[in-house]
Amino acid sequence: MPRYEYRCRTCGDTFELSRPMAESAAPASCPAGHDDTVKLLSTVAVGGTSAPAPSGGGGCCGGGCCG
């Protein structure tokens, strides 16, 4: 289940909630009971490697058949 981060405008605390995506925009109360909260924009880092692009060979323009 995704985790969403919120900040309370009343007390300034930030907190996280696990909730279904369908409820991500639903209002959330802070742990201190305040209702004036805003959902923060979260960034996701995805690591990995990318395969190198193929070079030369294949196709008309890359295979030397043009010209």
Side-chain angles (χ1 to χ4, degrees), residues 32-51:
H34 305 121
D35 291 325
D36 189 13
T37 61
V38 62
K39 186 172 94 171
L40 301 177
L41 179 63
S42 299
T43 58
V44 176
V46 178
T49 60
S50 59

Side-chain angles (χ1 to χ4, degrees), residues 2-54:
R3 294 185 60 83
Y4 298 97
E5 189 174 18
Y6 298 85
R7 183 174 49 85
C8 178
R9 292 180 179 168
T10 304
C11 65
D13 286 344
T14 58
F15 59 97
E16 292 183 352
L17 291 177
S18 294
R19 49 175 38 178
M21 290 175 127
E23 295 177 16
S24 67
S29 295
C30 85
H34 305 121
D35 291 325
D36 189 13
T37 61
V38 62
K39 186 172 94 171
L40 301 177
L41 179 63
S42 299
T43 58
V44 176
V46 178
T49 60
S50 59

